[in-house]
Coordinates of all heavy atoms in Angstrom, one line a residue:
S1 N -16.4 38.8 -3.8 CA -15.6 37.6 -3.7 C -16.3 36.5 -3.0 O -16.4 35.4 -3.5 CB -14.3 38.0 -2.9 OG -14.6 38.4 -1.6
V2 N -16.9 36.8 -1.8 CA -17.7 35.7 -1.2 C -19.1 35.5 -1.9 O -19.5 34.3 -2.0 CB -18.0 36.2 0.3 CG1 -19.0 35.2 1.0 CG2 -16.7 36.3 1.1
I3 N -19.6 36.6 -2.5 CA -20.9 36.4 -3.3 C -20.6 35.6 -4.5 O -21.4 34.7 -4.9 CB -21.4 37.8 -3.6 CG1 -21.7 38.6 -2.3 CG2 -22.6 37.7 -4.4 CD1 -22.0 40.0 -2.5
L4 N -19.5 35.9 -5.1 CA -19.2 35.0 -6.3 C -18.9 33.6 -6.0 O -19.4 32.8 -6.7 CB -17.9 35.7 -7.0 CG -17.4 35.0 -8.3 CD1 -18.4 35.2 -9.4 CD2 -16.1 35.6 -8.7
L5 N -18.3 33.4 -4.9 CA -18.0 32.0 -4.4 C -19.4 31.3 -4.2 O -19.5 30.2 -4.6 CB -17.2 32.0 -3.2 CG -16.8 30.6 -2.6 CD1 -16.0 29.9 -3.6 CD2 -16.1 30.8 -1.3
L6 N -20.3 32.0 -3.5 CA -21.6 31.3 -3.3 C -22.4 31.1 -4.6 O -23.0 30.0 -4.8 CB -22.5 32.3 -2.4 CG -22.2 32.4 -0.9 CD1 -23.0 33.4 -0.3 CD2 -22.4 31.0 -0.3
F7 N -22.3 32.0 -5.5 CA -23.0 31.8 -6.8 C -22.3 30.7 -7.5 O -23.0 29.8 -8.2 CB -22.9 33.1 -7.6 CG -23.8 33.1 -8.8 CD1 -25.1 33.3 -8.7 CD2 -23.2 32.8 -10.1 CE1 -26.0 33.3 -9.8 CE2 -24.0 32.8 -11.2 CZ -25.4 33.0 -11.1
L8 N -20.9 30.6 -7.5 CA -20.3 29.4 -8.2 C -20.6 28.1 -7.6 O -20.7 27.1 -8.3 CB -18.8 29.7 -8.3 CG -18.4 30.9 -9.2 CD1 -16.9 31.1 -9.1 CD2 -18.8 30.6 -10.7
I9 N -20.8 28.0 -6.3 CA -21.1 26.8 -5.6 C -22.5 26.4 -6.0 O -22.8 25.2 -6.3 CB -21.0 27.0 -4.0 CG1 -19.6 27.1 -3.6 CG2 -21.8 25.8 -3.3 CD1 -19.4 27.5 -2.1
G10 N -23.4 27.4 -6.2 CA -24.8 27.1 -6.7 C -24.7 26.5 -8.2 O -25.4 25.5 -8.4
I11 N -23.9 27.1 -9.0 CA -23.8 26.6 -10.4 C -23.1 25.3 -10.4 O -23.6 24.4 -11.1 CB -23.0 27.6 -11.2 CG1 -23.8 28.9 -11.5 CG2 -22.6 27.0 -12.5 CD1 -23.1 29.9 -12.2
L12 N -22.1 25.1 -9.5 CA -21.5 23.8 -9.5 C -22.5 22.7 -9.0 O -22.4 21.6 -9.4 CB -20.3 23.9 -8.5 CG -19.3 22.7 -8.4 CD1 -18.6 22.5 -9.8 CD2 -18.3 22.9 -7.3
G13 N -23.3 23.1 -8.0 CA -24.3 22.1 -7.6 C -25.3 21.7 -8.7 O -25.8 20.6 -8.8
L14 N -25.7 22.6 -9.6 CA -26.5 22.4 -10.7 C -25.8 21.5 -11.8 O -26.4 20.6 -12.3 CB -27.0 23.6 -11.4 CG -28.1 24.4 -10.7 CD1 -28.4 25.7 -11.5 CD2 -29.3 23.6 -10.6
V15 N -24.5 21.8 -12.0 CA -23.8 21.1 -13.0 C -23.5 19.7 -12.6 O -23.7 18.7 -13.4 CB -22.5 21.8 -13.4 CG1 -21.7 21.0 -14.3 CG2 -22.9 23.1 -14.2
I16 N -23.0 19.5 -11.4 CA -22.6 18.2 -10.9 C -23.8 17.3 -10.6 O -23.8 16.1 -11.0 CB -21.7 18.3 -9.7 CG1 -20.4 18.9 -10.2 CG2 -21.5 17.0 -9.0 CD1 -19.4 19.2 -9.0
N17 N -24.8 17.8 -10.0 CA -26.0 17.1 -9.5 C -27.0 17.0 -10.7 O -27.5 17.9 -11.1 CB -26.6 17.7 -8.3 CG -27.8 17.0 -7.8 OD1 -27.9 15.8 -7.9 ND2 -28.8 17.8 -7.5
R18 N -27.2 15.8 -11.1 CA -28.3 15.6 -12.1 C -29.2 14.5 -11.7 O -30.1 14.1 -12.4 CB -27.6 15.0 -13.4 CG -26.8 16.1 -14.2 CD -27.8 17.2 -14.6 NE -27.0 18.3 -15.3 CZ -27.5 19.4 -15.7 NH1 -28.8 19.6 -15.5 NH2 -26.8 20.3 -16.3
K19 N -29.1 14.0 -10.4 CA -30.0 12.9 -10.0 C -31.0 13.4 -8.9 O -32.2 13.0 -9.0 CB -29.1 11.8 -9.3 CG -28.1 11.3 -10.2 CD -28.6 10.2 -11.1 CE -27.5 9.6 -11.9 NZ -27.9 9.1 -13.2
N20 N -30.6 14.3 -8.0 CA -31.5 14.6 -6.9 C -32.1 16.0 -7.0 O -31.4 17.0 -7.1 CB -30.6 14.6 -5.6 CG -31.5 14.6 -4.4 OD1 -32.6 14.9 -4.4 ND2 -30.8 14.3 -3.2
I21 N -33.4 16.0 -7.1 CA -34.1 17.3 -7.3 C -34.1 18.2 -6.2 O -34.1 19.4 -6.3 CB -35.6 17.0 -7.8 CG1 -36.2 18.2 -8.4 CG2 -36.4 16.5 -6.7 CD1 -37.4 18.0 -9.2
I22 N -33.9 17.7 -5.0 CA -33.9 18.5 -3.8 C -32.6 19.3 -3.8 O -32.5 20.5 -3.5 CB -34.0 17.7 -2.5 CG1 -35.4 17.1 -2.4 CG2 -33.7 18.6 -1.3 CD1 -35.7 16.2 -1.3
L23 N -31.5 18.7 -4.2 CA -30.2 19.4 -4.3 C -30.2 20.4 -5.4 O -29.6 21.5 -5.4 CB -29.0 18.4 -4.5 CG -28.6 17.6 -3.3 CD1 -27.5 16.7 -3.6 CD2 -28.3 18.5 -2.2
T24 N -31.0 20.1 -6.5 CA -31.1 21.1 -7.6 C -31.9 22.3 -7.1 O -31.4 23.5 -7.4 CB -31.9 20.4 -8.7 OG1 -31.2 19.3 -9.1 CG2 -32.1 21.4 -9.9
I25 N -32.9 22.1 -6.3 CA -33.7 23.3 -5.8 C -32.8 24.1 -4.8 O -32.8 25.4 -4.8 CB -35.0 22.8 -5.1 CG1 -36.0 22.3 -6.2 CG2 -35.7 23.9 -4.3 CD1 -37.2 21.6 -5.6
M26 N -32.1 23.4 -4.0 CA -31.2 24.1 -3.1 C -30.1 24.9 -3.8 O -29.7 26.0 -3.4 CB -30.5 23.1 -2.1 CG -31.5 22.5 -1.1 SD -30.8 21.2 -0.1 CE -29.3 21.8 0.5
S27 N -29.6 24.3 -4.9 CA -28.6 25.1 -5.6 C -29.2 26.4 -6.3 O -28.5 27.4 -6.3 CB -28.0 24.2 -6.8 OG -27.3 23.1 -6.2
I28 N -30.4 26.3 -6.8 CA -31.0 27.5 -7.3 C -31.3 28.5 -6.3 O -31.0 29.7 -6.4 CB -32.3 27.0 -8.0 CG1 -32.0 26.2 -9.3 CG2 -33.2 28.3 -8.4 CD1 -33.2 25.6 -9.9
E29 N -31.7 28.0 -5.1 CA -31.9 29.0 -4.0 C -30.6 29.6 -3.5 O -30.6 30.8 -3.2 CB -32.5 28.2 -2.8 CG -33.9 27.8 -3.0 CD -34.9 29.0 -3.2 OE1 -34.8 30.0 -2.5 OE2 -35.8 28.8 -4.1
L30 N -29.6 28.9 -3.5 CA -28.2 29.5 -3.2 C -27.8 30.5 -4.2 O -27.3 31.6 -3.8 CB -27.1 28.4 -3.1 CG -25.8 28.8 -2.5 CD1 -25.9 29.3 -1.2 CD2 -24.8 27.6 -2.7
M31 N -28.0 30.3 -5.4 CA -27.8 31.3 -6.5 C -28.6 32.5 -6.3 O -28.1 33.7 -6.4 CB -27.9 30.7 -7.8 CG -26.9 29.7 -8.2 SD -27.0 28.8 -9.7 CE -28.2 29.7 -10.6
L32 N -29.9 32.4 -6.0 CA -30.8 33.5 -5.8 C -30.4 34.3 -4.5 O -30.4 35.6 -4.5 CB -32.2 33.1 -5.7 CG -32.8 32.6 -7.0 CD1 -34.2 32.1 -6.8 CD2 -32.9 33.8 -8.0
L33 N -30.0 33.7 -3.5 CA -29.6 34.3 -2.3 C -28.2 35.1 -2.5 O -28.1 36.2 -1.9 CB -29.5 33.3 -1.1 CG -30.9 32.8 -0.6 CD1 -30.7 31.8 0.5 CD2 -31.7 34.0 -0.1
S34 N -27.4 34.5 -3.3 CA -26.1 35.3 -3.5 C -26.4 36.6 -4.3 O -25.8 37.6 -4.1 CB -25.1 34.4 -4.2 OG -25.5 34.1 -5.5
V35 N -27.3 36.4 -5.2 CA -27.7 37.7 -6.0 C -28.4 38.7 -5.1 O -28.1 39.9 -5.2 CB -28.7 37.3 -7.2 CG1 -29.3 38.5 -7.8 CG2 -27.9 36.5 -8.2
N36 N -29.2 38.2 -4.2 CA -29.8 39.1 -3.2 C -28.7 39.8 -2.3 O -28.8 41.0 -2.1 CB -30.8 38.4 -2.3 CG -32.1 38.1 -3.0 OD1 -32.4 38.8 -3.9 ND2 -32.9 37.2 -2.4
L37 N -27.8 39.1 -1.9 CA -26.7 39.7 -1.1 C -25.9 40.7 -1.9 O -25.6 41.8 -1.4 CB -25.7 38.6 -0.6 CG -24.7 39.0 0.4 CD1 -25.4 39.6 1.6 CD2 -23.9 37.8 0.8
N38 N -25.7 40.5 -3.2 CA -25.1 41.5 -4.1 C -26.0 42.7 -4.2 O -25.5 43.9 -4.1 CB -24.9 40.9 -5.4 CG -23.9 41.6 -6.2 OD1 -23.1 42.4 -5.7 ND2 -23.8 41.3 -7.5
F39 N -27.3 42.6 -4.3 CA -28.2 43.7 -4.4 C -28.1 44.5 -3.1 O -28.1 45.8 -3.1 CB -29.7 43.3 -4.7 CG -30.0 43.1 -6.1 CD1 -30.6 42.0 -6.6 CD2 -29.7 44.1 -7.0 CE1 -30.9 41.8 -7.9 CE2 -30.0 44.0 -8.4 CZ -30.6 42.8 -8.8
I40 N -28.1 43.9 -2.0 CA -28.1 44.6 -0.7 C -26.8 45.4 -0.5 O -26.8 46.5 -0.1 CB -28.3 43.6 0.4 CG1 -29.8 43.1 0.4 CG2 -28.0 44.2 1.8 CD1 -30.1 42.0 1.5
I41 N -25.7 44.7 -0.9 CA -24.4 45.4 -0.7 C -24.3 46.6 -1.6 O -23.9 47.7 -1.2 CB -23.2 44.4 -1.0 CG1 -23.1 43.5 0.2 CG2 -22.0 45.2 -1.1 CD1 -22.2 42.4 0.0
F42 N -24.7 46.5 -2.8 CA -24.7 47.6 -3.7 C -25.7 48.7 -3.3 O -25.5 49.9 -3.5 CB -25.0 47.3 -5.2 CG -23.7 46.8 -5.9 CD1 -23.5 45.5 -6.3 CD2 -22.7 47.7 -6.2 CE1 -22.4 45.1 -6.9 CE2 -21.6 47.4 -6.8 CZ -21.4 46.0 -7.1
S43 N -26.9 48.3 -2.7 CA -27.8 49.3 -2.3 C -27.3 50.1 -1.1 O -27.5 51.3 -1.0 CB -29.1 48.6 -1.8 OG -30.1 49.5 -1.5
I44 N -26.6 49.4 -0.2 CA -25.9 50.1 0.9 C -24.8 51.1 0.3 O -24.7 52.2 0.8 CB -25.3 49.1 1.9 CG1 -26.4 48.4 2.6 CG2 -24.4 49.8 2.9 CD1 -26.0 47.2 3.5
Y45 N -24.1 50.6 -0.5 CA -22.9 51.4 -1.1 C -23.4 52.6 -1.8 O -22.9 53.7 -1.7 CB -22.1 50.5 -2.1 CG -21.0 51.3 -2.7 CD1 -19.8 51.6 -2.0 CD2 -21.0 51.7 -4.1 CE1 -18.8 52.3 -2.6 CE2 -20.0 52.3 -4.7 CZ -18.9 52.6 -4.0 OH -17.9 53.3 -4.6
L46 N -24.6 52.5 -2.6 CA -25.1 53.6 -3.4 C -26.1 54.4 -2.6 O -26.6 55.5 -3.0 CB -25.8 53.1 -4.6 CG -24.8 52.4 -5.6 CD1 -25.6 51.8 -6.8 CD2 -23.8 53.4 -6.1
D47 N -26.4 54.0 -1.4 CA -27.4 54.6 -0.5 C -28.8 54.8 -1.2 O -29.3 55.9 -1.3 CB -26.9 56.0 0.0 CG -27.6 56.5 1.2 OD1 -28.2 55.7 2.0 OD2 -27.7 57.7 1.4
D48 N -29.3 53.7 -1.8 CA -30.5 53.7 -2.5 C -31.4 52.5 -2.0 O -30.9 51.5 -1.6 CB -30.1 53.5 -4.0 CG -31.3 53.8 -4.9 OD1 -32.3 54.4 -4.4 OD2 -31.3 53.3 -6.1
I49 N -32.6 52.7 -2.1 CA -33.6 51.7 -1.6 C -34.0 50.7 -2.7 O -34.6 49.7 -2.4 CB -34.9 52.3 -1.0 CG1 -35.6 51.4 -0.1 CG2 -35.7 53.0 -2.0 CD1 -36.6 52.0 0.8
T50 N -33.6 51.0 -3.9 CA -34.0 50.1 -5.0 C -33.6 48.7 -4.9 O -34.3 47.8 -5.2 CB -33.5 50.7 -6.4 OG1 -33.9 52.1 -6.4 CG2 -34.1 50.0 -7.6
G51 N -32.3 48.5 -4.4 CA -31.8 47.2 -4.2 C -32.6 46.4 -3.2 O -32.9 45.1 -3.4
Y52 N -33.1 47.0 -2.2 CA -33.9 46.4 -1.2 C -35.3 45.9 -1.8 O -35.8 44.9 -1.4 CB -34.2 47.2 0.1 CG -32.9 47.5 0.8 CD1 -32.3 48.7 0.9 CD2 -32.4 46.5 1.6 CE1 -31.2 48.9 1.6 CE2 -31.2 46.7 2.4 CZ -30.7 47.9 2.4 OH -29.6 48.1 3.1
I53 N -35.8 46.7 -2.7 CA -37.1 46.4 -3.3 C -36.9 45.2 -4.2 O -37.7 44.3 -4.3 CB -37.6 47.6 -4.1 CG1 -38.0 48.7 -3.1 CG2 -38.8 47.3 -5.0 CD1 -38.3 50.0 -3.8
F54 N -35.8 45.2 -5.0 CA -35.5 44.0 -5.8 C -35.3 42.7 -5.0 O -35.8 41.6 -5.3 CB -34.2 44.2 -6.6 CG -34.5 44.9 -7.9 CD1 -33.9 46.1 -8.2 CD2 -35.3 44.3 -8.9 CE1 -34.1 46.9 -9.3 CE2 -35.5 45.0 -10.1 CZ -34.9 46.3 -10.3
V55 N -34.7 42.8 -3.8 CA -34.6 41.7 -2.9 C -35.9 41.2 -2.4 O -36.1 40.0 -2.4 CB -33.6 42.1 -1.7 CG1 -33.7 41.0 -0.6 CG2 -32.2 42.3 -2.2
L56 N -36.8 42.0 -2.1 CA -38.1 41.6 -1.7 C -38.8 40.8 -2.8 O -39.4 39.7 -2.5 CB -39.0 42.8 -1.3 CG -38.6 43.4 0.1 CD1 -39.5 44.6 0.4 CD2 -38.9 42.3 1.2
F57 N -38.7 41.3 -4.0 CA -39.3 40.6 -5.1 C -38.7 39.2 -5.4 O -39.3 38.2 -5.6 CB -39.3 41.4 -6.4 CG -40.3 42.5 -6.3 CD1 -39.9 43.9 -6.7 CD2 -41.7 42.3 -6.1 CE1 -40.9 44.9 -6.6 CE2 -42.6 43.4 -6.1 CZ -42.2 44.6 -6.4
I58 N -37.3 39.2 -5.3 CA -36.6 38.0 -5.6 C -36.9 37.0 -4.5 O -37.1 35.8 -4.8 CB -35.1 38.2 -5.7 CG1 -34.8 39.0 -7.0 CG2 -34.3 37.0 -5.7 CD1 -33.4 39.5 -7.2
L59 N -36.9 37.4 -3.3 CA -37.2 36.5 -2.2 C -38.7 35.9 -2.3 O -38.9 34.7 -2.0 CB -37.1 37.1 -0.8 CG -35.6 37.3 -0.3 CD1 -35.6 38.1 1.0 CD2 -35.0 36.0 -0.1
T60 N -39.6 36.7 -2.7 CA -41.0 36.3 -2.9 C -41.0 35.2 -4.0 O -41.7 34.1 -3.9 CB -41.9 37.4 -3.3 OG1 -41.8 38.4 -2.3 CG2 -43.3 37.0 -3.5
V61 N -40.3 35.5 -5.1 CA -40.3 34.4 -6.2 C -39.5 33.2 -5.8 O -40.0 32.1 -6.1 CB -39.7 35.1 -7.5 CG1 -39.4 34.1 -8.5 CG2 -40.5 36.2 -8.1
A62 N -38.5 33.3 -5.1 CA -37.8 32.2 -4.7 C -38.5 31.3 -3.7 O -38.5 30.1 -3.8 CB -36.4 32.6 -4.0
A63 N -39.2 32.0 -2.7 CA -40.1 31.2 -1.8 C -41.2 30.5 -2.6 O -41.5 29.3 -2.3 CB -40.6 32.1 -0.7
T64 N -41.8 31.2 -3.5 CA -42.9 30.5 -4.3 C -42.4 29.3 -5.1 O -43.0 28.3 -5.2 CB -43.5 31.5 -5.3 OG1 -43.9 32.7 -4.5 CG2 -44.7 31.0 -6.0
E65 N -41.2 29.6 -5.7 CA -40.6 28.5 -6.5 C -40.3 27.2 -5.7 O -40.6 26.1 -6.1 CB -39.3 29.0 -7.2 CG -38.5 28.0 -7.9 CD -37.2 27.6 -7.2 OE1 -36.7 28.4 -6.4 OE2 -36.8 26.5 -7.4
S66 N -39.8 27.5 -4.5 CA -39.5 26.3 -3.6 C -40.7 25.6 -3.1 O -40.8 24.4 -3.1 CB -38.7 26.8 -2.4 OG -37.4 27.2 -2.7
A67 N -41.7 26.4 -2.8 CA -43.0 25.8 -2.3 C -43.7 25.0 -3.4 O -44.1 23.8 -3.1 CB -43.9 26.9 -1.8
I68 N -43.7 25.5 -4.6 CA -44.3 24.8 -5.7 C -43.5 23.6 -6.1 O -44.1 22.5 -6.3 CB -44.6 25.7 -6.9 CG1 -45.7 26.7 -6.6 CG2 -45.0 24.9 -8.1 CD1 -45.8 27.8 -7.6
G69 N -42.2 23.7 -6.2 CA -41.4 22.6 -6.5 C -41.4 21.5 -5.5 O -41.5 20.3 -5.8
L70 N -41.4 21.8 -4.2 CA -41.6 20.8 -3.2 C -42.9 20.2 -3.1 O -43.1 18.9 -2.8 CB -41.2 21.3 -1.8 CG -39.7 21.7 -1.7 CD1 -39.4 22.4 -0.3 CD2 -38.8 20.5 -1.8
A71 N -44.0 20.9 -3.4 CA -45.3 20.4 -3.5 C -45.5 19.3 -4.6 O -46.0 18.3 -4.4 CB -46.3 21.5 -3.7
I72 N -44.9 19.7 -5.8 CA -44.9 18.8 -6.9 C -44.1 17.5 -6.6 O -44.5 16.4 -6.9 CB -44.4 19.5 -8.2 CG1 -45.4 20.6 -8.7 CG2 -44.2 18.5 -9.3 CD1 -44.9 21.4 -9.7
L73 N -43.0 17.8 -6.0 CA -42.1 16.6 -5.6 C -42.8 15.7 -4.6 O -42.7 14.5 -4.7 CB -40.8 17.2 -5.0 CG -39.7 16.2 -4.7 CD1 -39.3 15.5 -5.9 CD2 -38.6 16.9 -4.0
S74 N -43.5 16.2 -3.6 CA -44.2 15.4 -2.7 C -45.3 14.6 -3.3 O -45.5 13.4 -2.9 CB -44.7 16.2 -1.5 OG -45.7 17.1 -1.9
V75 N -46.1 15.2 -4.2 CA -47.1 14.5 -4.9 C -46.5 13.4 -5.8 O -47.1 12.3 -5.8 CB -48.0 15.4 -5.7 CG1 -48.9 14.7 -6.7 CG2 -48.8 16.3 -4.8
Y76 N -45.4 13.7 -6.4 CA -44.7 12.7 -7.3 C -44.2 11.5 -6.4 O -44.3 10.4 -6.8 CB -43.6 13.3 -8.1 CG -42.9 12.4 -9.0 CD1 -43.4 12.0 -10.2 CD2 -41.7 11.8 -8.7 CE1 -42.9 11.1 -11.1 CE2 -41.1 10.9 -9.5 CZ -41.7 10.5 -10.7 OH -41.1 9.6 -11.6
Y77 N -43.7 11.9 -5.3 CA -43.2 10.8 -4.4 C -44.3 9.9 -3.9 O -44.1 8.7 -3.8 CB -42.4 11.4 -3.2 CG -41.8 10.4 -2.3 CD1 -40.7 9.7 -2.7 CD2 -42.4 10.0 -1.1 CE1 -40.1 8.7 -1.9 CE2 -41.9 9.1 -0.3 CZ -40.7 8.4 -0.7 OH -40.2 7.4 0.1
K78 N -45.4 10.5 -3.6 CA -46.6 9.7 -3.2 C -47.0 8.7 -4.3 O -47.4 7.6 -4.0 CB -47.8 10.6 -2.9 CG -47.8 11.1 -1.5 CD -49.1 11.8 -1.3 CE -49.1 12.5 0.0 NZ -50.4 13.2 0.2
L79 N -46.9 9.2 -5.6 CA -47.3 8.3 -6.7 C -46.3 7.2 -7.1 O -46.7 6.1 -7.3 CB -47.7 9.1 -7.9 CG -48.8 10.1 -7.7 CD1 -49.0 10.9 -9.0 CD2 -50.1 9.3 -7.6
K80 N -45.0 7.6 -7.1 CA -44.0 6.7 -7.6 C -43.0 6.2 -6.6 O -42.2 5.3 -7.0 CB -43.2 7.5 -8.7 CG -44.0 8.0 -9.8 CD -44.5 6.9 -10.7 CE -45.3 7.5 -11.9 NZ -45.8 6.5 -12.8
N81 N -43.0 6.7 -5.4 CA -42.0 6.3 -4.3 C -40.6 6.5 -4.7 O -39.7 5.8 -4.2 CB -42.3 4.8 -3.9 CG -43.6 4.6 -3.2 OD1 -44.1 5.6 -2.5 ND2 -44.2 3.5 -3.4
T82 N -40.4 7.5 -5.5 CA -39.0 7.9 -5.8 C -38.9 9.3 -6.2 O -39.9 9.9 -6.7 CB -38.4 7.0 -6.9 OG1 -37.0 7.4 -7.1 CG2 -39.1 7.2 -8.2
I83 N -37.8 9.9 -6.0 CA -37.6 11.3 -6.5 C -36.4 11.4 -7.4 O -35.7 12.4 -7.6 CB -37.4 12.3 -5.3 CG1 -36.3 11.9 -4.4 CG2 -38.7 12.5 -4.6 CD1 -36.0 13.0 -3.4
N84 N -36.0 10.3 -8.0 CA -34.9 10.2 -8.9 C -35.2 11.0 -10.3 O -36.3 10.7 -10.9 CB -34.5 8.7 -9.3 CG -33.2 8.6 -9.9 OD1 -32.5 9.6 -10.2 ND2 -32.8 7.4 -10.1
L85 N -34.4 11.9 -10.6 CA -34.6 12.7 -11.8 C -34.6 12.0 -13.1 O -35.2 12.3 -14.1 CB -33.6 13.9 -11.9 CG -33.9 15.1 -11.0 CD1 -32.8 16.1 -11.2 CD2 -35.2 15.7 -11.4
D86 N -33.8 10.9 -13.1 CA -33.7 10.1 -14.4 C -35.1 9.5 -14.7 O -35.5 9.3 -15.8 CB -32.7 9.0 -14.2 CG -31.3 9.5 -14.2 OD1 -31.1 10.6 -14.8 OD2 -30.4 8.8 -13.7
K87 N -35.8 9.0 -13.6 CA -37.1 8.4 -13.9 C -38.1 9.5 -14.3 O -39.1 9.2 -15.0 CB -37.6 7.7 -12.6 CG -36.7 6.5 -12.3 CD -37.3 5.7 -11.2 CE -36.3 4.6 -10.7 NZ -36.4 3.4 -11.4
I88 N -38.0 10.8 -13.8 CA -38.9 11.8 -14.1 C -38.8 12.2 -15.6 O -39.7 12.5 -16.3 CB -38.7 13.0 -13.2 CG1 -39.1 12.7 -11.8 CG2 -39.5 14.2 -13.6 CD1 -38.7 13.7 -10.7
K89 N -37.5 12.2 -16.1 CA -37.3 12.6 -17.5 C -38.0 11.6 -18.5 O -38.2 12.0 -19.6 CB -35.8 12.6 -17.8 CG -35.1 13.8 -17.1 CD -33.6 13.7 -17.4 CE -32.9 14.8 -16.6 NZ -31.4 14.7 -16.8
H90 N -38.2 10.4 -18.1 CA -38.7 9.4 -19.0 C -40.2 9.2 -18.9 O -40.8 8.2 -19.4 CB -38.0 8.1 -18.8 CG -36.6 8.1 -19.2 ND1 -35.6 8.3 -18.2 CD2 -36.0 8.0 -20.3 CE1 -34.5 8.4 -18.8 NE2 -34.6 8.2 -20.1
I91 N -40.9 10.2 -18.2 CA -42.4 10.1 -18.1 C -43.0 10.3 -19.4 O -42.7 11.4 -20.1 CB -42.9 11.0 -17.0 CG1 -42.4 10.6 -15.6 CG2 -44.4 11.1 -17.0 CD1 -42.8 11.6 -14.5
K92 N -44.0 9.5 -19.7 CA -44.8 9.8 -20.9 C -46.3 10.0 -20.5 O -46.7 9.4 -19.6 CB -44.8 8.6 -21.9 CG -43.4 8.4 -22.5 CD -43.5 7.2 -23.4 CE -42.1 7.0 -24.0 NZ -42.0 5.9 -24.8
S93 N -46.9 11.0 -21.0 CA -48.3 11.4 -20.6 C -49.2 10.4 -21.2 O -49.8 9.6 -20.8 CB -48.6 12.8 -21.0 OG -48.4 12.9 -22.5

């Protein structure tokens, strides 16, 4: 119930927000963390370590995704002085 609410808040953040890339990254992270919480609860319930192993992998991927996304965003901000997604979509190489 709480996990589903966290996941839906993350999806809602992705659907409603189309302008700010930082909020988009935060919404993706919220969805990944709700999935992790679900894995942990089922791992405790089933008395199995597999859920914890999945959580470690998902946290590693989530941290990497955030670090790379924020690095790209900071370089883009240095070049263009904006982080507006509408301007990013219209970039031509």
Side-chain angles (χ1 to χ4, degrees):
S1 61
V2 175
I3 299 170
L4 181 64
L5 182 66
L6 285 175
F7 193 79
L8 289 177
I9 290 172
I11 289 178
L12 189 66
L14 283 176
V15 170
I16 290 176
N17 176 38
R18 291 292 179 187
K19 305 272 185 215
N20 193 347
I21 195 165
I22 294 176
L23 288 178
T24 304
I25 292 173
M26 287 173 52
S27 297
I28 293 171
E29 291 295 321
L30 186 63
M31 289 175 11
L32 286 172
L33 289 176
S34 68
V35 169
N36 281 342
L37 189 57
N38 199 14
F39 274 130
I40 288 174
I41 288 174
F42 276 111
S43 183
I44 290 170
Y45 177 74
L46 297 174
D47 197 26
D48 190 20
I49 197 167
T50 309
Y52 291 110
I53 294 170
F54 275 116
V55 167
L56 285 174
F57 285 128
I58 292 172
L59 283 176
T60 305
V61 169
T64 306
E65 173 252 336
S66 291
I68 291 173
L70 290 174
I72 291 170
L73 186 65
S74 65
V75 169
Y76 183 79
Y77 182 76
K78 275 185 186 179
L79 293 174
K80 301 291 183 178
N81 290 329
T82 184
I83 56 171
N84 195 355
L85 281 179
D86 289 336
K87 296 186 188 272
I88 294 174
K89 289 178 185 176
H90 295 92
I91 293 177
K92 292 182 181 175
S93 56

